[in-house]
Amino acid sequence: QVQVVESGGGLVQAGGSLRLSCAASGNIFSINFMDWYRQAPGKQRELVAAITSGGSTNYADSVKGRFAISRDNHKNTMYLQMNSLKPEDTAVYSCNVEAVLDHLGTTWHGWGQGTQVTVSS
């Protein structure tokens, strides 16, 4: 079984910064990918940033130049550094993980519970 836990959300003024963390634990052999998604009230969930095991990254246009995704493969942890935050960044941020469970390549895919980010104007 794999557990995914996000942390680091909170209330911040526009222009401020937050750093989110996503930690995967349990019966993990390796992690294929870890992504950050967000969902604002009344809106569809959207991909914010993604990072592969090799370190390749991808960002939504709306956060390019302001957000930075990184991961620590030894700790199975991913981070999202969010700078120059805007009120429109307000959302629940969730971690999406695909883990490999054994040497046969059995995979597990799941989500964390999410962490609220609120940016005041």
Side-chain angles (χ1 to χ4, degrees):
Q1 188 72 348
V2 177
Q3 297 80 41
V4 178
V5 178
E6 302 97 333
S7 61
L11 173 63
V12 64
Q13 289 188 331
S17 297
L18 283 174
R19 189 191 193 210
L20 305 184
S21 297
C22 168
S25 62
N27 186 29
I28 298 173
F29 183 75
S30 65
I31 291 182
N32 286 338
F33 64 79
M34 302 179 85
D35 306 330
W36 284 105
Y37 281 76
R38 69 184 180 186
Q39 187 167 22
K43 294 187 176 181
Q44 288 189 330
R45 184 163 56 192
E46 63 173 347
L47 177 66
V48 177
I51 187 166
T52 67
S53 58
S56 297
T57 59
N58 185 38
Y59 296 94
D61 288 342
S62 59
V63 306
K64 283 181 180 177
R66 300 188 297 121
F67 290 11
I69 189 172
S70 61
R71 61 187 278 181
D72 183 332
N73 291 330
H74 295 293
K75 295 181 179 179
N76 292 330
T77 300
M78 171 178 65
Y79 306 96
L80 186 67
Q81 178 65 43
M82 306 187 295
N83 301 323
S84 302
L85 283 161
K86 304 175 181 180
E88 51 264 42
D89 294 318
T90 296
V92 174
Y93 286 70
S94 300
C95 183
N96 176 41
V97 175
E98 182 177 276
V100 178
L101 304 182
D102 54 38
H103 68 284
L104 298 176
T106 305
T107 58
W108 175 92
H109 178 232
W111 297 81
Q113 83 288 349
T115 185
Q116 176 70 46
V117 171
T118 303
V119 184
S120 63
S121 58

